[in-house]
Amino acid sequence: MRQNALIFTLIAAMKFLTHTITIAAIALTFPLPIAAQAPGVAIEVQSNRKQDAAIIEKAKALKDAGKLKLTMELAKEQLKTPAPQPVVFPMPRAQALSGREVAKIAKEGHLQLGWFYLCTRCEKWHVNLAGAYAVAADAIATCQHCVVPKSDMREGYLIAVDHTGEVVPVISILAADRVTDGAILRVSGGKFTPLAFNDNVSPGDPAFCYSAPLGQSGYFSDGIVNRFFWNGIPGKEGSENRWKNLRVNVSTDWAPGSSGAAVLDQAGNVIGHVSTIQPMTEGPRQAPATPPVTPPAEAEKKDEKKDEKKKPAKVDRFGGATLITLHDASSARAMMELAKPLRDLKPGETIALQKALDKAHEKAVEKVPEKVAEIAPEKAPEKKADNEPGVLKVGSAAPALQTGKWLQGEEVKGFEKGKTYIVEFWATWCGPCRATIPHLNELHKQFADKGLVVIGQNCWERDTEKVAPFIKQMGDKMTYRVALDAVEGNDPNTGAMATKWMKAAGQRGIPAAFVVDKEGVVAWIGHPAQLKSEMVEEILAGKFAPVKMKAASDDGAKLRDAMMKHGAKAARALKDKDWDAAQNAVAEFAEALPASKKFFADAMLFKIALAKKDTAAANEAAGKIAAATEVESAMLNEIAWELITTKDLEKPDLVIAEKLARRSVESATEKSKASVMDTLARVVFLGGRKEDAIKIQESAINAATEDEAKAKLTKTVEAYRRGEIPAAE
């Protein structure tokens, strides 16, 4: 409104001065800003018709090109019998973020989803869109009821629209359930950030929603988790059907048009998605959060009748007032159960990616998402102040403790030489913080007698009066020392500990833990869930190598990010036998990987070479994997086995295969020893060393722990004794 007023003022002023200057000239002379107040923040388009018109044109172009695949007829079939395919899901983030950071993640993970259809009434093409959210590089989730074809459709195709306005074809329905009100769909293309599910949620936790209520795009709201409830009769205890009926009420705002939009936690994880709205009046009635679509022709008829006398609406004893509106979301727990079969499908390259992603998440220090765009200073200061990000690192001398009131345990005035300290930053409103408290308490009880001091350093607390009752409520689950931050005024962000520790270390999310060793040096920084007993023992014994550990953590974080951004894309292209796309995706994947993890890209190149029956390329990729130092036994064994057993692969390099197999045997667990020795025996037999192969196979039989495995291995050694190579299973 200000911009329009400014234009009219300028025009009036210029007309007063001269009648010869045109409005066009004024526009050129007085250019107006078109960005929102914060740099990089878009101004949303308010006109639904303009938005729909642009989407319709793009959808028509895709239809004409034959790229819209999921018709209304096919959708009806797949809603009854979905077409499951493997999906590589991201792991949840663990660090709490600011509101604008959650908004950025929510926007980049949000899509519109619905039908591009030919109307039976006016013979025109329309769109009927609700919400959706990305859950993988090529998969999105939404409400089941948003995917059901509508009765006024003569012809229709399911489409999605990403946050940049690109129209994305929906390829198939991977999973759907009416009771859960959830669906997972395969899509082709689009720009979005996959969001992870998180079912560790409790009433009182912050909740956020990015949606388009009544077509108002880009609407971001916050609230809290209110309660969980059964929407109907739950299944038996322990049954996955039980979770189909689980719903969560949240106080974030939404209205018709928001169905399928993700509800997020403070870390940007999905805790549910918009399902229904339930106004609590005298006669409560659930209504789907998807708006009915009125074709233009019908809308015009309604406008003509607007002056007609309407019948008085029936009111209840409250005068028609809504006492409260419950915002019901399908739960993350229910969606995780719906997604489980997709995760468990077992094409080798996909399950390997998922396992690597899981492991990277377990080892990595959670990486905070990129900052929202800020205006950079003209010149960076030559030396950082003590409280600036990046000053406090692993290997730095620990800053002094500047705590406020101590609420539990003896006050720690300073770090004593010879003792080890865990300083963990948390707040009562932080769900992930509450989840890690019992783990910290176990470390406290296990190592207190060996010189470990655990300090629960409260920070960024909105209401410090809640902290003492919270500690009392936790009881024997939180028995270590707890201190408030030393805050001046009413702004919790200005706390001395939050500034000198969290901000100085560039840590913008909680929970976050700092380990201070016996020499008063910061030995480790990261998520407290990653603090294992073995690590604490090493630190207490003075055997911990913080620099090496930090490098490993950084590499793990880079691997996790590369897996989410490029790994699934490469696996998908490989499955589709789109070799050019697969090669390009692997190149991007390799570029994003740390040097120590490049072998993951080589493993993908190996898979491509096998699929193309390219022996030279397969040998080359296998050789690189054999030379890598951090490859685990399972991958070494898998590469060796596939190199020697893949049909139509001429002259596999047996020297490389044996190197892979021997390294696998060296690092194998007792449980996998028999299997990897079986691979090594086969390689040796193929190399013409029959007697050696028999000895190795006999050792495999002795290492086997199950009768069935022993029987199979025995059949193999009998074949070797006859001079035969058994068929690969």
Side-chain angles (χ1 to χ4, degrees):
M1 293 297 292
R2 288 184 179 180
Q3 291 182 1
N4 291 337
L6 179 57
I7 291 172
F8 295 138
T9 303
L10 291 172
I11 292 173
M14 295 304 290
K15 281 185 176 180
F16 178 79
L17 294 173
T18 173
H19 295 286
T20 60
I21 300 179
T22 65
I23 294 176
I26 295 171
L28 291 172
T29 308
F30 298 91
L32 297 174
I34 58 172
Q37 288 180 230
V41 178
I43 300 175
E44 301 295 338
V45 177
Q46 190 76 348
S47 171
N48 296 344
R49 288 195 174 187
K50 286 183 179 180
Q51 289 180 356
D52 289 354
I55 293 169
I56 289 169
E57 287 303 311
K58 292 178 181 178
K60 282 182 178 178
L62 289 174
K63 176 181 175 294
D64 293 342
K67 294 183 178 180
L68 296 186
K69 305 292 185 183
L70 194 59
T71 63
M72 52 190 289
E73 293 79 12
L74 186 57
K76 288 177 181 178
E77 293 177 11
Q78 292 187 1
L79 280 169
K80 294 179 182 177
T81 309
Q85 294 176 334
V87 175
V88 179
F89 294 97
M91 299 301 293
R93 303 170 187 268
Q95 294 205 8
L97 306 172
S98 68
R100 67 164 57 185
E101 288 172 326
V102 177
K104 181 175 183 290
I105 290 172
K107 178 177 181 178
E108 292 176 354
H110 178 78
L111 298 98
Q112 293 175 278
L113 180 285
W115 289 98
F116 167 60
Y117 69 100
L118 182 62
C119 182
T120 57
R121 301 171 183 173
C122 65
E123 298 296 329
K124 292 182 180 179
W125 287 90
H126 307 296
V127 287
N128 179 11
L129 302 176
Y133 53 100
V135 293
D138 54 356
I140 64 175
T142 187
C143 287
Q144 185 269 355
H145 77 256
C146 296
V147 184
V148 177
K150 306 302 182 284
S151 60
D152 60 348
M153 292 166 45
R154 183 184 299 277
E155 178 183 354
Y157 303 90
L158 205 58
I159 62 170
V161 185
D162 68 18
H163 74 281
T164 69
E166 180 182 349
V167 176
V168 180
V170 178
I171 304 302
S172 62
I173 301 173
L174 306 180
D177 183 74
R178 182 184 60 80
V179 180
T180 300
D181 197 17
I184 300 175
L185 317 171
R186 180 76 77 194
V187 295
S188 175
K191 297 178 181 178
F192 44 73
T193 300
L195 305 175
F197 291 113
N198 175 30
D199 62 350
N200 184 5
V201 188
S202 173
D205 286 353
F208 303 85
C209 185
Y210 185 96
S211 64
L214 296 174
Q216 304 305 301
S217 62
Y219 186 83
F220 184 67
S221 65
D222 76 330
I224 61 170
V225 175
N226 305 127
R227 66 167 186 160
F228 292 88
F229 66 99
W230 296 117
N231 184 37
I233 302 173
K236 294 181 179 179
E237 189 72 37
S239 167
E240 66 178 43
N241 292 329
R242 184 178 184 83
W243 303 116
K244 290 182 178 182
N245 292 285
L246 183 64
R247 295 290 190 273
V248 53
N249 286 141
V250 294
S251 57
T252 55
D253 297 324
W254 64 67
S258 303
S259 278
V263 182
L264 307 177
D265 64 14
Q266 187 79 54
N269 302 310
V270 177
I271 60 176
H273 65 239
V274 176
S275 179
T276 58
I277 303 167
Q278 189 177 167
M280 298 298 289
T281 60
E282 187 175 29
R285 178 173 56 88
Q286 286 191 335
T290 305
V293 175
T294 304
E298 294 296 317
E300 291 173 5
K301 291 178 183 178
K302 286 186 177 181
D303 290 340
E304 293 173 3
K305 296 179 181 180
K306 64 183 179 181
D307 294 329
E308 292 182 8
K309 188 175 180 180
K310 297 181 179 179
K311 295 180 180 180
K314 183 180 178 181
V315 298
D316 57 30
R317 63 192 177 91
F318 299 110
T322 297
L323 304 181
I324 189 172
T325 298
L326 299 181
H327 294 79
D328 299 345
S330 295
S331 70
R333 177 69 61 83
M335 288 301 292
M336 289 166 74
E337 290 293 337
L338 184 65
K340 188 176 180 180
L342 309 180
R343 179 190 175 100
D344 291 344
L345 292 175
K346 298 187 177 180
E349 65 275 5
T350 304
I351 202 70
L353 275 176
Q354 186 69 63
K355 286 180 178 177
L357 184 59
D358 293 350
K359 187 152 191 178
H361 172 73
E362 290 173 5
K363 290 186 176 180
V365 176
E366 282 292 331
K367 182 180 178 184
V368 179
E370 294 180 2
K371 288 184 178 181
V372 177
E374 297 177 352
I375 301 174
E378 294 183 5
K379 186 178 180 181
E382 294 181 2
K383 186 178 180 181
K384 292 183 177 180
D386 289 344
N387 62 348
E388 289 192 10
V391 170
L392 183 57
K393 302 176 181 178
V394 170
S396 301
L401 292 171
Q402 294 177 268
T403 58
K405 184 179 180 181
W406 286 80
L407 299 179
Q408 180 165 279
E410 185 180 349
E411 178 182 355
V412 178
K413 296 181 178 180
F415 299 119
E416 295 181 30
K417 196 166 184 177
K419 286 188 176 182
T420 298
Y421 297 81
I422 296 175
V423 184
E424 190 257 352
F425 289 78
W426 69 287
T428 60
W429 50 262
C430 169
C433 296
R434 292 200 298 271
T436 57
I437 287 172
H439 171 63
L440 284 166
N441 201 57
E442 286 301 314
L443 294 177
H444 163 65
K445 291 192 294 184
Q446 185 177 357
F447 297 109
D449 293 340
K450 297 181 181 180
L452 178 68
V453 178
V454 179
I455 300 171
Q457 178 59 63
N458 182 266
C459 75
W460 301 339
E461 190 66 58
R462 298 162 183 164
D463 183 0
T464 55
E465 295 298 320
K466 294 181 178 180
V467 182
F470 177 87
I471 298 170
K472 184 177 180 180
Q473 182 183 1
M474 291 299 293
D476 59 4
K477 295 179 182 179
M478 190 179 191
T479 58
Y480 49 85
R481 292 170 171 83
V482 180
L484 295 177
D485 202 353
V487 177
E488 294 183 7
N490 297 319
D491 185 359
N493 295 316
T494 62
M497 290 295 288
T499 302
K500 297 291 185 181
W501 287 71
M502 291 291 287
K503 185 177 180 181
Q507 295 289 313
R508 298 183 296 146
I510 52 176
F514 296 73
V515 179
V516 180
D517 67 15
K518 294 179 178 181
E519 302 300 322
V521 172
V522 177
W524 186 86
I525 302 173
H527 192 284
Q530 307 299 328
L531 273 172
K532 305 301 181 184
S533 297
E534 297 79 10
M535 185 193 303
V536 175
E537 284 181 349
E538 287 187 12
I539 297 172
L540 288 168
K543 298 178 180 179
F544 186 71
V547 176
K548 183 178 179 181
M549 190 65 188
K550 183 179 185 301
S553 294
D554 289 346
D555 281 358
K558 288 178 182 178
L559 171 61
R560 182 206 62 205
D561 292 345
M563 287 287 185
M564 287 194 289
K565 291 179 181 177
H566 308 293
K569 181 179 177 182
R572 179 66 182 170
L574 177 60
K575 183 177 182 298
D576 293 340
K577 296 184 179 181
D578 187 343
W579 307 129
D580 289 340
Q583 294 280 5
N584 291 336
V586 172
E588 293 175 351
F589 183 46
E591 185 68 25
L593 287 169
S596 64
K597 307 295 182 184
K598 297 290 185 186
F599 63 85
F600 279 103
D602 293 323
M604 285 191 170
L605 292 175
F606 177 75
K607 296 285 187 180
I608 294 171
L610 290 185
K612 294 172 69 176
K613 310 302 182 187
D614 186 340
T615 306
N619 286 334
E620 181 183 358
K624 290 181 179 179
I625 295 168
T629 58
E630 294 191 15
V631 190
E632 294 189 352
S633 176
M635 179 180 283
L636 292 166
N637 181 63
E638 181 181 354
I639 300 297
W641 181 260
E642 291 188 344
L643 187 61
I644 61 174
T645 60
T646 299
K647 293 181 180 179
D648 302 324
L649 196 66
E650 299 178 358
K651 296 181 180 179
D653 193 322
L654 295 180
V655 174
I656 291 174
E658 184 170 347
K659 183 177 180 180
L660 287 161
R662 288 195 180 279
R663 282 193 57 201
S664 178
V665 171
E666 290 170 3
S667 57
T669 62
E670 289 301 316
K671 186 177 180 180
S672 64
K673 204 88 171 181
S675 175
V676 299
M677 291 180 76
D678 178 52
T679 302
L680 176 59
R682 191 181 188 95
V683 175
V684 171
F685 185 87
L686 289 171
R689 288 139 54 204
K690 174 181 173 180
E691 295 305 319
D692 289 343
I694 292 172
K695 289 180 182 179
I696 296 170
Q697 193 70 14
E698 288 173 343
S699 297
I701 295 169
N702 293 331
T705 57
E706 297 178 1
D707 292 340
E708 185 179 353
K710 284 182 180 290
K712 288 182 178 179
L713 294 170
T714 300
K715 285 183 179 180
T716 300
V717 78
E718 290 172 354
Y720 291 159
R721 289 179 181 136
R722 296 192 302 269
E724 299 172 0
I725 185 76
E729 295 183 6

